[in-house]
Amino acid sequence: MPLICGKYYMDREETSFTLPAGTDFVPMLLFNRCITLEEVILPEGVEVIAMSAFNECSNLKRVVLPSTLSAIGQAAFFECFSLRDIRIPEGCSIIHKHAFLGCTALEEITLPPSVTSIDYGVFSGCKSLRRVVLPPTLERIGENAFSCCTSLREIQIPEGCREICNSAFCGCTALEKVTIPPSVKSVGPFAFFDTPWLRSLCDQNSYEAIVNGITIS
């Protein structure tokens, strides 16, 4: 199968690009800072998008991911400021840290059942993110996973999730409604810091609330 060399396309001026059939791996930094790129179509057969593959593609609006995709690398779509929508396929089980950090135009995300853990800062700083659908298979929400998602108003943690890590939703300044199931046994410090939801639960002189027997501070 052909392997496209990393950085090969970084100076190209195309606005749309379709990777060739037979490609199974999108290498690191392949489209790094391709500021003219607006659309990418990945063919069936691609299994892995490597670290920073689409790093700082500031005008990238649309990416078509194949059903064969299993992993999205660290910072793969870091600061793709124009990316509004991306559909993660059912078989994708690994989304590494900072994968979509700073995608400020991203409005909604649905994670498939193949995802059981959300890594560090995956959707941090996605300031337009209004709707998040978490799968019933989710067990862990990592540190800063959704921090500073300032348009997010509601989140429903699925039954079966056991851990919400430090600062997971910190700085979500519009977050008013949170559903936490009894399966959650650990909520890290600052997980909901600076959210209207936490403030509504706290006494005037307190920075802590108790939900399902767990102290949230």
Side-chain angles (χ1 to χ4, degrees), residues 36-48:
T36 62
L37 193 64
E38 297 181 5
E39 178 185 64
V40 170
I41 299 174
L42 304 184
E44 290 296 314
V46 170
E47 298 176 4
V48 176

Side-chain angles (χ1 to χ4, degrees), residues 1-6 8-9 20 22-28 30 48:
M1 295 183 181
L3 180 65
I4 301 173
C5 296
Y8 183 72
Y9 294 102
T23 302
D24 60 0
F25 177 77
V26 181
M28 182 173 67
L30 179 64
V48 176

Side-chain angles (χ1 to χ4, degrees), residues 30 88 140 145 150 206 208 214:
L30 179 64
I88 298 174
R140 179 179 179 273
T150 53
S206 172
E208 294 183 342
I214 298 172

Side-chain angles (χ1 to χ4, degrees), residues 99-132:
F100 296 95
L101 188 149
C103 291
T104 53
L106 190 65
E107 295 182 352
E108 63 177 84
I109 195 75
T110 298
L111 296 177
S114 48
V115 173
T116 58
S117 179
I118 302 174
D119 208 346
Y120 184 100
V122 169
F123 297 103
S124 180
C126 293
K127 294 182 178 181
S128 297
L129 194 62
R130 296 179 291 101
R131 184 171 183 264
V132 174

Side-chain angles (χ1 to χ4, degrees), residues 13-27:
E13 295 184 357
E14 291 97 336
T15 59
S16 179
F17 191 86
T18 302
L19 266 69
T23 302
D24 60 0
F25 177 77
V26 181

Side-chain angles (χ1 to χ4, degrees), residues 49-56 71-80 83 86 88 92 94-103 106 109 111 118-124 126 144-145:
I49 299 173
M51 182 173 70
S52 302
F54 297 92
N55 177 63
E56 295 182 30
I72 299 173
Q74 177 180 333
F77 296 93
F78 177 84
E79 291 191 350
C80 289
L83 188 63
I86 191 162
I88 298 174
C92 186
I94 299 172
I95 305 175
H96 286 287
K97 69 179 183 179
H98 299 161
F100 296 95
L101 188 149
C103 291
L106 190 65
I109 195 75
L111 296 177
I118 302 174
D119 208 346
Y120 184 100
V122 169
F123 297 103
S124 180
C126 293
N144 291 97

